[in-house]
Amino acid sequence: MSKLVIGSSVMISLLCMMLAAAPFTPAVGISFIMLLFAGFMGYKGFIQSALVLLLINTLAVIGSPSIDISDSYTLIGVLIFFPVSFGGVLLGVRKLAVILVES
């Protein structure tokens, strides 16, 4: 994955984090998409970049006043997106640990 893609994803995530502090719903939606992208990056082995994206986008989603956890659809969405993104990073860490142990 090129450094341009990783850098632009971090910049988009930072922008969305700032916009999600105000109840700007599209920024929260983009943060959810970037959470999935972070899980994909972690699964592919870009652990440091994926962890940075997870931190930024998790803060954006949790800190946004437009997220209403009492709504069941929002809670189901959060319960789907977070395990997928964090699970991708954990699987990537496990793949790298197996490679390091074998060599």
Side-chain angles (χ1 to χ4, degrees), residues 20 22-25 28 63-68 74:
F24 186 62
T25 307
V28 176
S64 176
S66 65
I67 296 292
D68 183 22
T74 306

Side-chain angles (χ1 to χ4, degrees), residues 22-85:
F24 186 62
T25 307
V28 176
I30 294 171
S31 291
F32 277 124
I33 292 170
M34 296 307 284
L35 275 171
L36 293 176
F37 184 65
F40 174 74
M41 284 177 55
Y43 182 74
K44 287 296 184 179
F46 300 99
I47 302 298
Q48 290 177 340
S49 303
L51 288 175
V52 168
L53 284 177
L54 279 178
L55 172 71
I56 294 170
N57 291 309
T58 302
L59 289 175
V61 169
I62 298 298
S64 176
S66 65
I67 296 292
D68 183 22
I69 299 297
S70 64
D71 183 24
S72 62
Y73 292 116
T74 306
L75 182 62
I76 290 171
V78 168
L79 289 176
I80 290 171
F81 280 108
F82 277 96
V84 168
S85 58

